[in-house]
Amino acid sequence: MNLPSPAQPVSTTCPYCGTGCGVDMHPMPEDGWKARGNPEHPANLGRLCSKGTHLGETLGLEKRLLKPWVRGQVTGWDTALEAAATGLRQTIDTYGPDSVAFYVSGQLLTEDYYVANKLMKGFIGSGNIDTNSRLCMSSSVVGHKRAFGTDTVPACYEDLELADLVILVGSNAAWCHPVLFQRIAQARKQRPKMRVVVIDPRKTATCELADLHIPLKPGSDSHLFLGLLSWLDQRGFADDDYLQYTRELEPALRQAHWQAPGIKAVAELCQLDKDTVETFYYWFATREKVVTCYSQGIHQTSSGSDKVNAILNCHLYTGKIGKPGCGPLSLTGQPNAMGGREVGALANQLAAHMDFTPEDIERVGRFWNSPGMARQPGLKAVELFEAVESGQVRALWIMATNPAVSLPDANRVRQALAHCPLVIVSETEALTDSSQYAHIRLPAAAWGEKDGTVTNSERRISRQRAFLPLPGEARPDWWIIAQVAQRMGYAGFDYDGPAAIFREHAALSCLDNPQGQRRDFHLGPLAAISDEDYDRLEPVQWPLNPRPRKRLFAEGGFFTPDGRGRFLPITPRPPARSTTEAWPFILNTGRIRDQWHTMSRTARSPKLSVHLPEPFLAIHPRDAAACGVWQDGLCQLESAWGHALLRVRLDEGQLPGQVFAPMHWNDQTASDARVDAVVSPDTDPDSGQPEFKFTPVRVTPWKPAWYGFLLSRRDLRANDAAYWVRIRREHCHQLELAGSEAQEDWSAFARKLLCSEDDGAQWSELFDSATGHYRAARFLDGRLESCIFIGPDRHLPEREWLARLFGKAKLDRNERLRILAGSPGGDAPDPGPVVCTCFGVGRNTLIQAIRERKLDSVQAIGKSLAAGTNCGSCIPELEALLEAHGQPDASDA
Ligand code: SF4
């Protein structure tokens, strides 16, 4: 691998969401790297959200897996690769090809993905490779294929700026695709006539931009879009010219009229008011340019595929597709979910957008010179782990993902892993919830250390480039897979680098596909790309036949046998489960602004860790009162499948009867917060995508005997506490705590926790026996070494000011005296929980400034405090604070 000279910035791609932002990594004069948005990259044009901005904080090697490891022993690559190859080979020889499986990830680069799929489907001869992207967008794949004949995203990001109406369905883009959200916000500012509709049961940060928020009943999206199709038809809004490119309209219309006959019926079915529904329909019909972005609120349901087609039907009917400013646009969750679709890493696809048809099997087998192609689809993610549990799959290779945290019914996944005879894990982390079950751990290169390509939600291929050397024994995933393949005796895996793999991948896309007429996925000229040109490859959109195309289907040209797009008659289905007396709430799960997946990267960043530092349950205040839980208290969340212990956040944006919990925390970062252990394993029958958005649950208060927190320069553990959460801070580590039994001697408890051996630190302690509050601070060489605060209730000091004291080389007398009081004193209030991650501006600081300096806009806040002026991810929260604490507008009086 040719690394650039350390003085040069390196252009690469963000490893988080499917927006696929270009990032320039700049070496810092002293040490480390700083991420800046690449102004030339078409996805982000220089912007980055908070996660991308703080990538430089995530590059450290602590807790990395840096050596191969076989059955408890650190070993060399030869031994580990031989063990993996022999284990797979013996399993196949004894139990057949379908007894092995790969579970891979949208974090892999396309080249890694390609080699893994080739090994499984082309050489092992099983379809058993599935990706965690199954959990994020497989319902869109089904919807696209049914309507267009191929898995094609017809629109591009530029359309968001050209649209008259942007509809965000089941998407909290402000937090989950923040740069796309900013592009929409900017366009709306420049074109005030543009409208934004947000369709989501929750009032999320995205609603700050909405001209119309539609808080529909969970699971009723199909009714809303069936109603739209019916309404468009009744009022004559068909695009008759466009309809000649389509077929099977009549059954779809009949079904729409039957299922959603008029505004009143739709309003009742979706629990909305009629005006809201009518306004939405009217805007859709009368705006020439409409983009519908949809994401996990649509995908992650047990009828996600049908919901996708209900949306596509409306765009086909009105011809709002393939033209500038028009089209359905599914937002993929992961950086390379789309790349996985290209290489066939979904169990029911072959490579290069081919299927398990006899012709495609022959074609791909011929290209790979395969000894025995898989002849039928393999197991989809949830089924795959059921097969591991039942013993049908006896050897499992997990790459770059953490299913013991992220799959639904995650406790069952753990049991399956614990009983699987051979678990191989390729990982960057020394220990994850999944790798603890591994017999073989293979150290994989991390972002920043590996080279390859990723494809974003608008079909744009971008290079990820290495700017760091491979640490320890870590190796790129493609290399690891190719080595195992060779040791299993397979030919065709002697790649000398990712460029060679990419050329093969591109060549396969062109096989028997002249000018991309047979299949949409066509990489044309890239099949002959040189190593040098691959190194320099600029972001490019496929199909490339021969030129890149931004949009598809403006004049039909679908990839169906007759070239016409298909309407699909939709019969709405309710969610797989319903609430009952025992399980009265609906649990919805998702992401938060500053964390990513199971936190292996983002939890390394102190700046990202403080926005929402603890796992929580968002609940409407009325429901909270009915359940007997309160703001900042702790609650037990339970379902028929599992439980979690979470901090309570009262949230008026939750519809009564629904609760929300983020999916990020795991057993390395919290005591009991794996929310996917609570989620039901129901899936969409067509796509296999799990229903993460609808699990019946109950919420009960969990009343600890004590609450507490500690801050320490050392990363401490408190596994004895019933509740703990580990939080990385800039100069210290934070541990939130609660326990079910009060201690006889708090001082002894604190000493055991803070210092296992005497390090000569000076102690300052305070115990108020009347209130039960205990506080202690330790000082070493004039610096604060650690402090702990314990009390019988949740009323403990705010953490921000205390945490900042760890950044000081020496404390002054006043600071030292104020520590046990837990606050800086009257004229210097605690800044409060961080809202603006980039400049560390806290909620209390913002509220005080809004009130005292009479700030009335986000720009005024920016001028005064700098908050919101860098990545912009906090702007929706600034808007909400202005609304809650700003001066009432005189015009409203
Ligand atoms: Fe990364 Fe943020 Fe861009 Fe997503 S929006 S790719 S997380 S910088």
Side-chain angles (χ1 to χ4, degrees):
M1 180 172 21
N2 292 329
L3 285 174
S5 100
Q8 292 172 320
V10 178
S11 287
T12 182
T13 311
C14 177
Y16 299 123
C17 82
T19 305
C21 295
V23 185
D24 289 342
M25 293 305 290
H26 292 257
M28 292 289 96
E30 302 210 326
D31 197 15
W33 295 79
K34 176 128 194 74
R36 298 210 172 99
N38 176 351
E40 309 294 326
H41 197 291
N44 54 318
L45 306 166
R47 299 175 179 92
L48 288 180
C49 75
S50 50
K51 291 186 284 290
T53 299
H54 297 105
L55 273 165
E57 291 188 356
T58 68
L59 306 173
L61 295 181
E62 69 275 14
K63 299 183 189 156
R64 279 287 301 273
L65 179 66
L66 295 175
K67 285 186 190 308
W69 187 99
V70 176
R71 296 186 190 273
Q73 301 292 319
V74 170
T75 180
W77 270 112
D78 261 346
T79 307
L81 293 168
E82 206 55 48
T86 306
L88 292 171
R89 167 58 59 213
Q90 286 175 348
T91 310
I92 295 163
D93 288 349
T94 312
Y95 300 99
D98 289 331
S99 65
V100 299
F102 296 170
Y103 186 58
V104 297
S105 161
Q107 301 289 314
L108 291 178
L109 304 185
T110 298
E111 292 73 6
D112 307 322
Y113 250 149
Y114 178 87
V115 180
N117 185 55
K118 179 177 173 180
L119 171 57
M120 179 54 81
K121 294 207 183 107
F123 288 78
I124 291 176
S126 168
N128 282 348
I129 173 170
D130 209 38
T131 162
N132 65 1
S133 300
R134 173 75 59 196
L135 319 183
C136 109
M137 51 67 209
S138 53
S139 294
S140 254
V141 176
V142 171
H144 288 158
K145 289 175 86 164
R146 293 195 298 207
F148 309 147
T150 46
D151 175 21
T152 313
V153 174
C156 64
Y157 296 165
E158 193 183 82
D159 294 324
L160 298 170
E161 284 144 356
L162 300 174
D164 306 316
L165 172 64
V166 173
I167 304 161
L168 290 152
V169 197
S171 159
N172 184 8
W175 282 15
C176 302
H177 296 90
V179 164
L180 294 183
F181 177 80
Q182 287 172 30
R183 285 181 70 161
I184 300 167
Q186 181 72 20
R188 189 159 158 279
K189 203 182 279 175
Q190 286 167 355
R191 297 170 43 237
K193 286 194 174 159
M194 178 181 172
R195 290 284 171 266
V196 176
V197 174
V198 175
I199 302 172
D200 194 325
R202 300 164 62 209
K203 184 168 186 259
T204 64
T206 303
C207 296
E208 291 298 326
L209 191 63
D211 298 288
L212 183 68
H213 172 214
I214 304 183
L216 79 181
K217 176 182 157 193
S220 66
D221 315 71
S222 287
H223 279 118
L224 187 67
F225 282 92
L226 283 167
L228 174 59
L229 183 63
S230 170
W231 190 91
L232 291 166
D233 186 49
Q234 284 164 2
R235 283 167 176 70
F237 282 106
D239 181 337
D240 293 324
D241 290 339
Y242 195 82
L243 288 177
Q244 65 177 314
Y245 303 131
T246 66
R247 60 184 299 165
E248 291 164 31
L249 171 62
E250 284 313 316
L253 279 180
R254 263 201 309 278
Q255 193 67 355
H257 293 316
W258 171 250
Q259 296 288 348
I263 300 266
K264 187 167 174 283
V266 172
E268 276 168 19
L269 289 162
C270 301
Q271 292 177 359
L272 295 166
D273 67 70
K274 284 196 302 181
D275 288 351
T276 300
V277 177
E278 190 155 24
T279 304
F280 168 50
Y281 288 1
Y282 180 76
W283 285 0
F284 188 101
T286 55
R287 267 47 180 195
E288 188 192 336
K289 297 175 181 173
V290 179
V291 175
T292 305
C293 296
Y294 53 95
S295 194
Q296 313 308 17
I298 291 292
H299 294 143
Q300 290 180 335
T301 65
S302 59
S303 56
S305 306
D306 285 354
K307 289 176 183 172
V308 170
N309 282 103
I311 293 169
L312 301 186
N313 282 349
C314 296
H315 279 270
L316 288 172
Y317 187 74
T318 50
K320 296 182 199 293
I321 183 167
K323 301 165 194 159
C326 281
L329 178 59
S330 94
L331 300 180
T332 49
Q334 296 201 72
N336 201 25
M338 191 71 97
R341 287 147 81 165
E342 292 162 6
V343 302
L346 289 164
N348 50 327
Q349 291 181 340
L350 286 184
H353 281 201
M354 285 184 261
D355 288 313
F356 278 94
T357 62
E359 300 77 35
D360 283 349
I361 293 170
E362 182 281 325
R363 189 173 288 125
V364 178
R366 170 165 37 101
F367 182 82
W368 282 342
N369 205 9
S370 158
M373 279 289 294
R375 310 215 63 85
Q376 59 190 21
L379 299 164
K380 300 182 182 115
V382 171
E383 301 166 344
L384 192 156
F385 281 87
E386 286 167 0
V388 173
E389 188 189 32
S390 71
Q392 181 191 336
V393 166
R394 303 181 59 85
L396 176 68
W397 189 350
I398 299 168
M399 303 178 202
T401 184
N402 196 357
V405 180
S406 54
L407 272 172
D409 197 5
N411 289 337
R412 197 164 162 207
V413 171
R414 289 184 166 216
Q415 284 163 21
L417 290 175
H419 292 110
C420 185
L422 177 62
V423 178
I424 306 168
V425 170
S426 300
E427 246 307 335
T428 60
E429 300 303 297
L431 182 67
T432 69
D433 292 39
S434 300
S435 75
Q436 65 182 311
Y437 299 101
H439 303 97
I440 301 173
R441 294 183 198 170
L442 305 173
W447 181 80
E449 299 156 7
K450 56 198 275 184
D451 259 306
T453 55
V454 289
T455 309
N456 72 3
S457 295
E458 60 165 356
R459 292 173 275 106
R460 190 176 299 281
I461 298 170
S462 299
R463 286 279 278 108
Q464 271 197 11
R465 293 185 175 89
F467 54 93
L468 295 168
L470 288 168
E473 299 289 319
R475 294 289 179 271
D477 286 283
W478 68 262
W479 181 89
I480 301 172
I481 304 158
Q483 288 291 315
V484 170
Q486 290 179 51
R487 282 163 200 261
M488 291 175 77
Y490 300 133
F493 289 88
D494 52 347
Y495 303 106
D496 61 3
I501 303 167
F502 185 83
R503 277 190 292 274
E504 187 177 308
H505 165 59
L508 180 55
S509 79
C510 305
L511 184 70
D512 301 339
N513 188 20
Q515 281 85 49
Q517 285 165 8
R518 192 191 290 264
R519 301 186 302 274
D520 61 339
F521 181 65
H522 190 285
L523 296 185
L526 297 181
I529 193 169
S530 67
D531 284 11
E532 294 71 29
D533 287 346
Y534 177 79
D535 277 344
R536 288 192 293 261
L537 183 67
E538 294 292 332
V540 61
Q541 263 176 309
W542 63 261
L544 278 141
N545 46 341
R547 305 242 169 276
R549 281 163 67 191
K550 288 183 178 178
R551 304 176 181 88
L552 289 99
F553 309 140
E555 293 172 358
F558 295 96
F559 294 88
T560 50
D562 60 4
R564 294 165 81 179
R566 297 280 192 276
F567 286 92
L568 201 82
I570 302 295
T571 305
R573 290 196 308 277
R577 313 272 166 171
S578 23
T579 54
T580 61
E581 210 174 310
W583 311 108
F585 293 102
I586 299 162
L587 171 68
N588 179 1
T589 65
R591 292 177 179 159
I592 57 172
R593 194 190 81 185
D594 287 357
Q595 291 298 341
W596 175 258
H597 278 199
T598 60
M599 301 171 80
S600 51
R601 178 170 292 282
T602 43
R604 291 169 177 271
S605 162
K607 290 228 168 68
L608 295 179
S609 297
V610 293
H611 176 237
L612 288 170
E614 284 184 81
F616 64 87
L617 186 80
I619 183 167
H620 191 277
R622 241 175 26 227
D623 289 339
C627 295
V629 301
W630 53 89
Q631 175 70 22
D632 294 334
L634 292 164
C635 71
Q636 186 84 24
L637 174 73
E638 290 171 274
S639 72
W641 297 273
H643 56 80
L645 192 55
L646 304 171
R647 188 74 73 178
V648 175
R649 283 173 66 89
L650 301 189
D651 184 348
E652 302 255 7
Q654 289 293 135
L655 283 181
Q658 300 173 40
V659 293
F660 172 85
M663 46 82 75
H664 306 291
W665 278 268
N666 54 69
D667 280 1
Q668 317 309 312
T669 50
S671 51
D672 182 14
R674 285 181 307 116
V675 163
D676 286 327
V678 181
V679 171
S680 93
D682 297 307
T683 59
D684 178 296
D686 298 304
S687 69
Q689 184 149 357
E691 185 151 68
F692 286 101
K693 301 297 183 191
F694 200 108
T695 299
V697 292
R698 69 172 159 245
V699 178
T700 48
W702 186 74
K703 293 179 185 154
W706 58 274
Y707 291 84
F709 73 92
L710 70 81
L711 297 160
S712 166
R713 289 190 190 277
R714 287 184 302 132
D715 190 6
L716 300 174
R717 296 273 186 156
N719 291 347
D720 292 345
Y723 176 85
W724 55 263
V725 181
R726 298 166 74 198
I727 302 152
R728 185 78 180 91
R729 281 197 170 259
E730 200 146 2
H731 302 287
C732 63
H733 300 266
Q734 179 178 340
L735 205 49
E736 287 293 322
L737 299 164
S740 39
E741 280 178 40
Q743 303 289 314
E744 293 269 308
D745 182 347
W746 284 112
S747 181
F749 176 79
R751 279 164 201 275
K752 190 170 157 214
L753 212 53
L754 296 180
C755 58
S756 44
E757 56 200 45
D758 186 8
D759 54 5
Q762 299 166 312
W763 280 76
S764 175
E765 280 180 288
L766 181 120
F767 178 58
D768 182 340
S769 58
T771 63
H773 280 269
Y774 171 82
R775 296 171 175 201
R778 300 171 67 247
F779 304 93
L780 201 57
D781 301 328
R783 298 193 311 172
L784 180 58
E785 182 62 24
S786 54
C787 56
I788 185 165
F789 293 76
I790 289 168
D793 54 39
R794 67 194 190 285
H795 299 299
L796 295 168
E798 297 223 35
R799 287 54 164 170
E800 201 54 41
W801 173 76
L802 287 162
R804 290 182 191 192
L805 292 181
F806 285 82
K808 299 206 161 190
K810 203 165 181 65
L811 300 184
D812 64 33
R813 187 171 171 277
N814 185 49
E815 286 166 336
R816 202 169 154 136
L817 286 173
R818 297 290 317 171
I819 286 175
L820 294 193
S823 81
D827 53 347
D830 188 287
V834 168
V835 175
C836 170
T837 298
C838 297
F839 296 104
V841 186
R843 185 184 155 81
N844 296 349
T845 308
L846 284 161
I847 293 172
Q848 188 181 25
I850 288 169
R851 285 186 180 147
E852 292 177 4
R853 297 180 219 172
K854 305 207 180 332
L855 306 180
D856 60 358
S857 67
V858 168
Q859 289 71 23
I861 292 177
K863 248 189 204 158
S864 182
L865 298 167
T869 58
N870 185 39
C871 77
S873 295
C874 63
I875 288 175
E877 283 150 273
L878 300 182
E879 306 259 22
L881 286 175
L882 282 166
E883 203 177 305
H885 303 281
Q887 303 294 314
D889 187 341
S891 62
D892 292 343

